[in-house]
Amino acid sequence: MNVVPAGGSPEHVDVLVAGSGAAGLVAALTCAIGGLRVLVCERAEALGGTTALSGGRVWVPGNRFQPDPEADRRAAGTYLAGIFDPGYGHLTEAFLDAVPEMARFVEAHTAHRFAPCPHYPDYHPDRAGATLGGRCLDMAPLHLDALVPLAARVRVPPGYVPVTHAEWERWRYPHRYDRDLIERRRADRVVTAGVALTAALVDGVVRAGGEVVTGHRVVDVDPDPRGRLRVRLERVAGDPVTVLASHVVLATGGYDQNGALRRAYLPAALGASGSSPSNTGDALDVCRRLGARVDNLGQGWWMPMVSVPGEEVDGVPAFRGLVRERGAPRQILVDRSGRRFVDEALPYNEIGKAMHRRDADGRCPHAEAYLVVDEGYRRRYALPGLATDRPVPDWIVSAPTVRELAGRLGVDPDGLSDQVARWNEACARGSDDEFGKGDNAYDRYYGDPDQPGNPNLGPIDTPPYYGVRMLPGTIGSKGGPVTDVDGRVLDRADRPIPGIFAVGNAAAFWTADGYPGPGATLGVGMAFGFRAGRAIAAAAGAGAG
């Protein structure tokens, strides 16, 4: 596309999508299939945003793999009624109606092929309407060489290993991984996870006639006298440019990489972000200037994280989320008192809430926390930076005794010694009376299936001992402009702002502090990207097939 410097005669497109994560790309794909002229502008030089950094799994109630999709859709409605904000029930219904059709649409128009995760439970398995598997969809491995060249520009996260979720379920532990298969995939440019999902969507958009550019940041949107939208873009290389668009879809992610906005809205304890470094609130800035109503600015998708020195994304320090690692035996999570404060195997969003929780004095006593493991853990299980087959790096704190480890971590030695003793007694009993670790299906899913009894319990009794700082983090903020059921941004009087849409973490997620299951962030974002694309195509007189 020949976008020209501001002041010249701007290029005109039907739809400009800001952001190349899954939500924006699904909106772009839907519009392009509908015959519209589509331009996707990605602020970073690499494609994919936070989607490319993620596991790439998508939560799809009522999907085609279910024995009775309609029954599952009804059960999911019951389940979400106890998790999502009831004030936005119409958006929950819109999501449930659209998400199975979105999944079929993506498979019909891209190289992406969903694969069910039949054993992966919802995050609150004891709630009415929950399932013990089947709603989360992974993907089949994807060959980059079969896609358009642009698909190879999808970013790859630190520590990336091209395996599917089903393969992880079979292997579980580092010594069981099929290293030959993994190396063949790397040599053959076969990808999985969020890299594969993004690459397939980019390929679909381009093949449908859409254009995708990188290094273009949307900084302002203004209506012109003819009812079109003047979109001002800053470029990494070159002068600013202006594009005229009939519709703009803001899919720029959240604002959790913006220090000022984090301090203003997100929990004071927040110490890390695993989202794309470009997630600094571009959509929020644009929509506020347009008079949009905003909501849920204090909410995020919470994730406990660790920092591995030297790992970066786009020149910014990267953080790794801890999901599987916390379910394994032989580890506990303690604060500076040396005491546990939560069931370590809970879904990551719940761990984040526990780390943010304030006491009666308004402090966050669990914000500084440490995962404590022993040599038995290191030999069998995986932890970022603590490989089973390599020397322990200097930044991992280790000690020959629990008391010495506490001193080196800055944790109360008496508290930690007593806690480890009580933990070991609980493991001998086979029951965690303090926090109920292993008492629900989600905990057990990430436990050790080869261990008799409670799969999440195991003593911390084999020296040396190790400690890793765990940071309260987020994989995306949830606040932003409020939208209708098709992603149209609403003003303060709840009227649609003409031509402006917001999807994914760029919009106000009505989920409040809820996180229903694996892949829910992508499921909701992609469903509303699909709805927005259909609405735009319908308004333009086109049809998305």
Side-chain angles (χ1 to χ4, degrees), residues 186-269:
R186 286 176 171 150
D188 294 341
R189 303 209 314 159
V190 174
V191 292
T192 61
V195 178
L197 175 60
T198 311
L201 291 171
V202 168
D203 180 72
V205 170
V206 173
R207 291 183 189 275
E211 185 162 359
V212 181
V213 296
T214 60
H216 285 64
R217 177 186 184 184
V218 172
V219 293
D220 211 354
V221 180
D222 288 307
D224 79 351
R226 297 174 60 182
R228 300 170 303 185
L229 300 167
R230 296 181 66 89
V231 185
R232 189 164 69 87
L233 305 169
E234 286 184 353
R235 297 192 294 175
V236 171
D239 295 328
V241 297
T242 297
V243 174
L244 291 177
S246 299
H247 303 86
V248 171
V249 180
L250 298 168
T252 57
Y255 50 83
D256 49 315
Q257 289 284 10
N258 184 315
L261 292 176
R262 276 171 60 170
R263 289 188 294 273
Y265 299 120
L266 297 178

Side-chain angles (χ1 to χ4, degrees), residues 57 117 119-123 136 165 168-169 172-173 322-329 331 344-348 377 381 437-438 440-449 454-457 518-519:
R57 287 172 287 279
C117 300
H119 310 297
Y120 203 167
D122 289 338
Y123 285 168
C136 176
H165 192 74
W168 173 82
E169 282 188 333
R172 293 252 170 183
Y173 311 120
L322 294 188
V323 179
R324 300 162 177 168
E325 298 86 351
R326 296 175 292 97
Q331 50 83 16
E344 295 87 351
L346 286 176
Y348 42 87
Y377 182 105
Y381 309 117
K437 189 173 182 177
N440 69 80
Y442 179 83
D443 281 15
R444 294 190 292 273
Y445 178 74
Y446 277 125
D448 187 339
N454 190 319
N456 304 104
L457 303 187

Side-chain angles (χ1 to χ4, degrees), residues 9-219:
S9 177
E11 188 77 18
H12 180 264
V13 298
D14 296 313
V15 187
L16 186 145
V17 177
S20 65
L25 289 173
V26 168
L29 177 68
T30 310
C31 291
I33 292 295
L36 302 182
R37 191 177 187 203
V38 177
L39 172 64
V40 177
C41 294
E42 168 56 48
R43 171 178 168 177
E45 290 293 344
L47 294 167
T50 305
T51 300
L53 300 173
S54 75
R57 287 172 287 279
V58 186
W59 197 67
V60 184
N63 65 69
R64 67 180 177 86
F65 300 100
Q66 297 281 20
D68 188 339
E70 182 53 36
D72 186 64
R73 183 250 186 262
R74 291 194 299 270
T78 300
Y79 177 62
L80 293 179
I83 296 175
F84 284 175
D85 186 339
Y88 289 102
H90 60 296
L91 296 179
T92 300
E93 289 300 308
F95 161 69
L96 290 171
D97 287 343
V99 71
E101 187 178 355
M102 176 278 296
R104 292 192 295 270
F105 179 84
V106 166
E107 287 193 314
H109 296 289
T110 76
H112 186 82
R113 293 295 176 267
F114 287 107
C117 300
H119 310 297
Y120 203 167
D122 289 338
Y123 285 168
H124 306 281
D126 296 331
R127 286 184 177 270
T131 68
L132 298 183
R135 288 177 179 157
C136 176
L137 302 183
D138 196 32
M139 75 288 295
L142 188 65
H143 288 258
L144 288 178
D145 288 343
L147 309 181
V148 298
L150 191 65
R153 294 185 61 182
V154 173
R155 66 158 46 95
V156 177
Y160 175 71
V161 181
V163 301
T164 67
H165 192 74
E167 288 165 345
W168 173 82
E169 282 188 333
R170 290 199 304 272
W171 300 336
R172 293 252 170 183
Y173 311 120
H175 67 279
R176 294 180 178 173
Y177 274 42
D178 187 337
R179 301 294 174 182
D180 291 338
L181 172 63
I182 292 169
E183 290 310 310
R184 285 198 305 274
R185 283 182 178 165
R186 286 176 171 150
D188 294 341
R189 303 209 314 159
V190 174
V191 292
T192 61
V195 178
L197 175 60
T198 311
L201 291 171
V202 168
D203 180 72
V205 170
V206 173
R207 291 183 189 275
E211 185 162 359
V212 181
V213 296
T214 60
H216 285 64
R217 177 186 184 184
V218 172
V219 293

